[in-house]
Amino acid sequence: MSKFPNDFLWGASTSAYQVEGAWDTDGKGPSVQDVKEIPAGTTDFKVASDHYHRYEEDVKLFKELGMKAYRFSISWSRVMPNGVVNPEGLAFYQKLIDLLLENEIQPVVTVFHFDLPVYIAEQGGWENRETIQAFADYCQVLFEHFGDKVPLWQTINEQNVMALAGSVIGTSQKSMKEKFQENHHMLVAQALVTKQFHAGNFTGKIGPAPNIASVYPASDKPEDQMAALYMSALRNWLFLDVAVFGKYNHNAWHLLETIGAAPEVTAEDRQILLDGTCDYIALNYYNTMTVSSYYQKENKIDQQSGFGIPGFFQAVENKNLPMTEFGWPIDPEGFRFTLNEVYSRYRLPILITENGIGAKDVLTEDGQVHDQYRIDYLQQHIAQMELAVKDGVEVIGYCPWSAIDLISTHEGITKRYGFIYVNRTEDDLLDLARVKKDSFYWYQQVIAQNGLGE
């Protein structure tokens, strides 16, 4: 018997700027991802996987895979390129959502995934308080058009990554004080949008989508235990406590005050945060983190490797964990640990919106992709998720990253995640043909039997 409920949402994920392409097509305006400096040797996002022109073919493959849910993001700059609704942009998402529903695939929508419109960025971006209302207006358009068709919404993807590693993913190059003021405005915007969603009596649920990584202390020394507490507060609970409880985590706030990065918070802000709490938690999990008490060291800031803050913590390597070829730790047991930790704090349903392994997949001469490493990675994580469900965690779905190959945020098409291979390189679009990888057939079987089986 499967440990998962019959309505468990087996799916997969993408984001607009990484998969759609058509960056200036049908009235779309530029986003910050379209104009950022791209690392040498990697592609830009102008064509990506060309999902915009090939979505019918892609959805057909998603149906063949057996997906029950497709988690994707809507591009703000496609829908409202200059603060005014672009009918052609809305029409694309209408067609995509309708096609998903026709194929019995639940649309799971993230309204913002790293791709702020350039015109908003030029007005100060999230540092400008006016962006809060601009975001709320944009989301209201989406709710009014798609609220009766989308059962699960996510407000902001990996807000904690934007705050803590924005320079890596091309969303911010600012001081900690500026970043956490931006972050505060995002938290208020998220709460305002959540409040609007509830006020509109839409049938679905809405929640945040942070990247959550449980934090291990490097040793049993008391100071390392305290370092783990503070790292967890800053990286995880700051974002989820506000979304669930409507209040800042006290340890995170103390840390921000200590380093001079605490944001300005108005009485109106506090009320909005209290009034706009979430219905469920979407979370992205790739690995855990390990920290010691702070010592001086050159910091390498990455989406997953973290950094140090004087007096509080220092990220260190966990020698017990293997690494991916791109240097991310692999910790399936940490997935179970993280799910339990989040559920014990918040007691809300959890949807996994990202989990996966980036690798340099090879298309063989006979047109196949043998990605056993991906099968192994996902199998180990699903097994641990199954144990978490047995522990009593309410997990409602699993949407690994990614449904189809897309452009990695700062490592191009070379770092592939998909169940479906897209035939292109960093500098040559080739034919963009879709090829089912070995992992496609494996995951198809997992979905068909509602789990790994015996």
Side-chain angles (χ1 to χ4, degrees):
M1 292 290 290
S2 172
K3 310 296 187 297
F4 298 101
N6 291 331
D7 60 354
F8 191 78
L9 294 173
W10 295 103
S13 298
T14 65
S15 87
Y17 77 92
Q18 292 173 274
V19 78
E20 285 177 4
W23 77 287
D24 62 351
T25 302
D26 295 336
K28 181 185 174 294
S31 82
V32 293
Q33 298 294 343
D34 295 318
V35 300
K36 75 178 186 183
E37 191 174 330
I38 304 292
T42 61
T43 184
D44 57 28
F45 303 98
K46 290 182 169 61
V47 176
S49 304
D50 201 31
H51 177 67
Y52 187 83
H53 295 114
R54 296 168 183 250
Y55 72 94
E56 290 173 309
E57 177 187 1
D58 292 342
V59 171
K60 192 175 175 184
L61 285 164
F62 299 165
K63 174 69 171 177
E64 184 184 343
L65 180 56
M67 283 166 55
K68 311 291 186 197
Y70 174 44
R71 183 255 184 165
F72 62 98
S73 75
I74 289 179
S75 164
W76 185 350
S77 58
R78 194 180 293 287
V79 170
M80 295 182 76
N82 290 296
V84 179
V85 172
N86 172 28
E88 290 175 291
L90 269 180
F92 168 71
Y93 294 110
Q94 185 72 66
K95 289 183 290 187
L96 175 59
I97 288 169
D98 287 346
L99 188 60
L100 291 168
L101 291 170
E102 281 172 33
N103 285 278
E104 299 178 304
I105 300 171
Q106 280 197 30
V108 178
V109 172
T110 309
V111 295
F112 178 63
H113 192 127
F114 297 164
D115 52 354
L116 196 69
V118 166
Y119 86 94
I120 296 277
E122 287 174 345
Q123 294 167 12
W126 286 110
E127 207 174 342
N128 180 355
R129 273 190 171 268
E130 291 180 11
T131 301
I132 295 171
Q133 191 58 50
F135 182 63
D137 293 345
Y138 155 63
C139 290
Q140 192 63 27
V141 169
L142 300 186
F143 298 155
E144 287 173 2
H145 278 83
F146 309 127
D148 60 337
K149 295 183 176 183
V150 175
L152 293 169
W153 295 84
Q154 286 116 42
T155 43
I156 299 175
N157 177 76
E158 294 194 348
Q159 184 176 332
N160 49 347
V161 172
M162 283 190 278
L164 298 167
S167 58
V168 175
I169 60 171
T171 58
S172 181
Q173 299 278 353
K174 299 180 177 178
S175 71
M176 290 290 267
K177 174 75 172 175
E178 290 167 326
K179 283 181 183 178
F180 279 95
Q181 190 65 51
E182 285 183 332
N183 183 67
H184 175 69
H185 293 160
M186 273 191 265
L187 290 170
V188 174
Q190 172 173 268
L192 181 59
V193 163
T194 302
K195 183 182 174 183
Q196 281 179 190
F197 183 81
H198 292 147
N201 291 314
F202 299 105
T203 54
K205 290 182 166 63
I206 190 166
N211 177 311
I212 299 299
S214 285
V215 182
Y216 301 145
S219 77
D220 55 7
K221 292 178 187 172
E223 58 265 37
D224 287 353
Q225 304 287 322
M226 190 57 73
L229 180 141
Y230 269 104
M231 175 53 150
S232 218
L234 181 68
R235 196 197 185 288
N236 300 321
W237 314 141
L238 186 161
F239 303 90
L240 283 176
D241 278 16
V242 171
V244 178
F245 303 136
K247 294 180 180 179
Y248 272 86
N249 175 276
H250 67 288
N251 296 123
W253 187 262
H254 170 63
L255 187 156
L256 292 178
E257 281 194 320
T258 303
I259 66 172
E264 302 295 324
V265 181
T266 68
E268 184 185 12
D269 291 345
R270 289 193 183 91
Q271 193 58 52
I272 291 170
L273 294 179
L274 285 169
D275 291 344
T277 55
C278 63
D279 304 317
Y280 76 107
I281 293 168
L283 66 86
N284 301 346
Y285 174 85
Y286 289 96
N287 50 252
T288 49
M289 303 189 73
T290 304
V291 298
S292 70
S293 56
Y294 184 80
Y295 62 90
Q296 192 62 43
K297 150 182 185 293
E298 186 180 343
N299 291 327
K300 177 195 175 216
I301 295 183
D302 177 271
Q303 275 168 282
Q304 301 300 330
S305 65
F307 57 99
I309 290 186
F312 289 97
F313 58 78
Q314 175 72 56
V316 296
E317 184 182 343
N318 188 331
K319 305 285 189 194
N320 299 303
L321 301 176
M323 295 279 198
T324 70
E325 63 181 309
F326 285 91
W328 287 13
I330 300 173
D331 187 5
E333 289 85 355
F335 188 27
R336 178 186 183 184
F337 186 89
T338 299
L339 288 170
N340 273 283
E341 194 174 26
V342 170
Y343 192 67
S344 67
R345 282 183 71 93
Y346 303 113
R347 290 302 174 100
L348 286 175
I350 296 171
L351 175 69
I352 309 307
T353 39
E354 290 183 31
N355 172 234
I357 184 168
K360 297 175 182 176
D361 296 344
V362 175
L363 182 65
T364 61
E365 286 185 16
D366 59 349
Q368 298 183 63
V369 179
H370 302 305
D371 57 341
Q372 185 62 41
Y373 40 84
R374 181 163 294 110
I375 293 170
D376 293 343
Y377 178 99
L378 294 171
Q379 188 160 24
Q380 291 164 12
H381 284 77
I382 291 170
Q384 293 295 323
M385 176 173 64
E386 189 171 291
L387 290 172
V389 170
K390 215 172 174 179
D391 292 333
V393 179
E394 187 184 356
V395 184
I396 60 173
Y398 179 69
C399 295
W401 191 260
S402 55
I404 185 169
D405 283 348
L406 37 68
I407 311 304
S408 171
T409 298
H410 59 288
E411 287 163 308
I413 191 69
T414 304
K415 189 181 188 183
R416 295 174 183 267
Y417 282 91
F419 294 109
I420 300 161
Y421 185 91
V422 175
N423 190 35
R424 62 158 295 178
T425 67
E426 300 293 353
D427 51 15
D428 191 339
L429 292 175
L430 302 173
D431 59 1
L432 292 162
R434 275 55 173 151
V435 178
K436 290 170 273 189
K437 303 180 188 178
D438 287 358
S439 60
F440 179 99
Y441 298 104
W442 171 83
Y443 192 47
Q444 185 182 55
Q445 185 63 33
V446 170
I447 296 172
Q449 62 196 23
N450 196 26
L452 296 175
E454 294 307 319

